[in-house]
Structure formats: structure tokens, C-alpha cells
Amino acid sequence: MTSASLARGGAGHSTRTAIDVSGEGRSLNDDSVALGSLHERDRRYRLLRESMVESGLDALVVASQGDGTSHARVNYLAKYVYQGSVVMVVMPLDGSPILITDPLPVWPSGDWIGEDDTRAVTCVGREVGEVLVELGLSNGRIGLVSRDDVRESDYRAIAEAVPDAHLVDAREVFERVSLIKSGAEFEAYRSTALIAKRAVKALEASLSPGRSERDVVAEAHRLLRLFGCGPSVIAIAKRPFATRGRLRSSGFRAPTDQTIVRQDVVVFEFDVTGPDGYGVEFRRVYSFEPLDEPSTQFLAWREEVFEACMKVMRPGVNIQQVDQVVRSMSVAKGYEDTRLSPQWHVHGLGLGLEPPFVPGPDLTLRAGMVMVLHPILRLGAKEMATVGDLGPSDSVLITDTGCERLVDPVDSMCVVLSP
């Protein structure tokens, strides 16, 4: 099967950007530090403890409900194999962190936390409280990362064990460090992006009229698994695009046994978790015939909005400016001016090891942040059905001077496949 791209032009490969985010003169693309190394562990611990001191905390309790997303924060500290367990890590200002898990299997994937500092118990919260007592922190100021990820039963158990401790939410304290990626983490993102592109090729080779949606997507999932990727999502939308929710902003759904036909315009959204747990999100648009002129023009305009957002995304910029760009360009195009929360346009992945990230209105961008950009528009129901899901999406890195796309240096507006 051959394909031709209605791309806007540009280089076929992105260039690596060196960014010093370590404070030690190492650039973001420095390959000398391995992701699972003790050097990387010590870097994280040191920066987290500096953040704790800055916020007046005596310890962090980093929690996971075992739901496939919140375990990311625990994994950031402990490097364990997720098995659906409830896990918490108690991290004091001094000494080794203590990993506490329920009796379900949890296997370390490295030597970040030793066997002597790992406990399997029936009540994780009660054990956390006992550890705080052992550490002499019964009256301490304890940060929970995050309060929402601590089950109510565990929270009560902790509070009963250390009634004089001051328990506060410390998600911001944790994300102050974890959202700024090291060189080793960024290389993990690049690896995921390269694998994801191979999965796209596998999908394209399978995508043809007469095949079911599931069969097509299965080819991409098969390749992702062969390369060791974690649980990933490939959603699909087809014209007429669904119009759901107040914003009528997305018609994506899980693939079904529906047969793909020649007249289809198909959009796939990829949320790929790489072998090291670092994920990318991006979108692809396909058709078997050239798009009509209104759709082509709409796609071109959506790309202009995307590029305009990228131009303002640089260190020191408040995340609200992305929304302002989308609003001003939408109004100039004749669309409704609807002020949205910034996470509609920019958000984190919440897959694999990457913590779920919803930027608040006061977030200031910093070099080394990685997030997903997909500007959202408020469309009428009729227009949503014809062009609503046609538009770019990509994971981006905030560099010293701007931002860089991780998957597609130049977006292909639509790939026309020969049936």
C-alpha cells in the first residue's frame, strides 16, 4: 500500500535541543546517565528533599491506589513493577525511603529501595503511621502526594497513628521536581516516539476498506507490545464525528468490529506508553480519497492555531496564554468565544510512569517540561460532525527558548492511502 502526505512541508527529522535542567551543567540530551541508575535516583531524591525543605515538610507520603495512573508517583521514587497493588512510599528528609504495599505482588525493577526498606502489610495506612512514629515524626508536618490518591480508610489509619502530625496535600511540592525531566527521562520519551512511529506504519499497512477497526488497531498494538511498550490506547473517530458533551469537542471511542469503507475519513489518537513508562500522545488523519476543500482548509487553519500556541509556549509564560491564543484566533475565524480551563488545550498523559498532570491557571512553564498540546475549539453540532476531530495533537518539550514537538516535527494534515 502506498501513501502520499498532504503535509505543509518542512524537515523530515527534528533536531535535538540541549537544555540544562539539572543545575549541574548537564544538558537534557546527555546520554551518560541511565534512567534506572542510582545517579538518577539520587538526583530525584536530592531535588525532592530540597523542595520539601522549601515547603517546611518533614516527610512525604507518596501514594498509589493501584489504578494504573496514580502509581506513577510511587514509581518515580521506587522503580517497582506495578501489579495493581496499593503502594505508598514514606520519604523522610534523611535516611532511606520506606516502600509499603499490600500483600499483592510488587517486584522492584531496580535497586532503588532495598529489601530491608520494603514492607508488605494488610493495612498500608496503619503501617505508614507506624513508620512515621519510628522516624520520630509523630508531631511532624507530613506532605501527602496526593491527598486525593490516599484512600479514606488509609488516611484515617494514618491520622489515628499520628494524631498530632500535620497532614497536608503536597502534590505541588512533588510536581515542582517531577515535571522537570532529566536527560535520561527525555531519552525515554524519544525512544517511545520512535516506537510509536513504527506502530503508525504497521497501522497504515493494515488500514484499508473491508477491514474491521479492531483488526487495524490490533496491528499497531502488536508492534507496541513487541517493543516492550506498556498499556497504550489507540482511539478512533470517523466522519460523521460524534458530538458529545457541552463542548462537543471529541468523538473518539474504542475501536469496534465496524468495517472501514472507502468513503471513511478516519482519525486515530495514540496514547503510547513506552518500555520505560514515558508516554507520548499524538493524532493521525487518514482518508482513501483527497479531502474536500472545506476540510482541507479547516485542517490548515487548525495547524496554524497549533503553531501559534507553540510560539507562546516557552519558559516563564503562564499557561493561560495558550487559551488566550486559541480564543483570539477562534473569534477572528467567527467561532464562539468560550473561555476554557487550560487543561483543555495542554495536559499531561497520566499513563505508565508519567503522573497525571492537569495544569492549574497559575502554572508557569519551565524548561524541561513535557506535555500534550491539542487546542480545543467550540464548534456547532453540524460543523463538529464534519470536521470536529480533524486537527493536530502532539507531545511537546519546553526548551530554553520555546518548545519542540516530540513525535512530528511537521504535522501531516492528512495521509491519503490507496485502497
Side-chain angles (χ1 to χ4, degrees), residues 196 200 203 217 220-221 224 232-238 241 244 249-255 266-272 280-286 302 306 344 347-349 351 372-376 388-395:
V200 168
L203 182 145
V217 171
H221 276 297
L224 292 175
S232 300
V233 176
I234 304 176
I236 187 173
K238 294 196 300 187
F241 302 111
R244 65 169 66 97
S249 61
S250 177
F252 285 101
R253 54 174 173 78
V266 189
V267 187
F268 293 98
E269 185 155 276
F270 294 77
D271 294 81
V272 177
V280 295
E281 178 180 324
F282 61 99
R283 191 176 293 184
R284 284 288 189 275
V285 181
Y286 297 99
R302 289 290 293 268
F306 190 95
W344 285 101
H347 64 85
L349 299 169
L351 293 172
V372 179
L373 172 63
H374 53 44
I376 299 295
D389 287 315
L390 303 181
S393 173
D394 202 349
S395 300

Side-chain angles (χ1 to χ4, degrees), residues 206-254:
S206 176
L207 181 57
S208 63
R211 299 207 64 177
S212 74
E213 298 170 359
R214 280 199 180 103
D215 284 345
V216 170
V217 171
E219 294 297 326
H221 276 297
R222 177 179 178 275
L223 188 138
L224 292 175
R225 287 299 191 176
L226 286 174
F227 278 87
C229 288
S232 300
V233 176
I234 304 176
I236 187 173
K238 294 196 300 187
R239 183 185 283 173
F241 302 111
T243 56
R244 65 169 66 97
R246 180 180 66 84
L247 293 175
R248 300 185 292 272
S249 61
S250 177
F252 285 101
R253 54 174 173 78

Side-chain angles (χ1 to χ4, degrees), residues 24-68:
E24 300 173 1
R26 292 197 311 274
S27 66
L28 194 60
N29 60 355
D30 185 351
D31 296 333
S32 62
V33 179
L35 187 63
S37 69
L38 295 182
H39 193 295
E40 174 67 9
R41 180 200 66 180
D42 293 344
R43 181 195 70 85
R44 296 181 186 186
Y45 289 7
R46 173 178 56 80
L47 293 176
L48 279 170
R49 282 168 168 149
E50 289 174 0
S51 184
M52 291 163 61
V53 169
E54 183 179 338
S55 299
L57 296 177
D58 298 302
L60 287 179
V61 175
V62 183
S64 163
Q65 296 187 43
D67 61 359

Side-chain angles (χ1 to χ4, degrees), residues 80-113:
Y80 72 101
V81 177
Y82 164 70
Q83 292 291 319
S85 305
V86 174
V87 186
M88 297 189 194
V89 173
V90 178
M91 184 171 189
L93 280 175
D94 297 301
S96 300
I98 307 295
L99 185 145
I100 304 164
T101 173
D102 62 23
L104 289 175
V106 171
W107 298 296
S109 59
D111 52 0
W112 283 22
I113 293 183

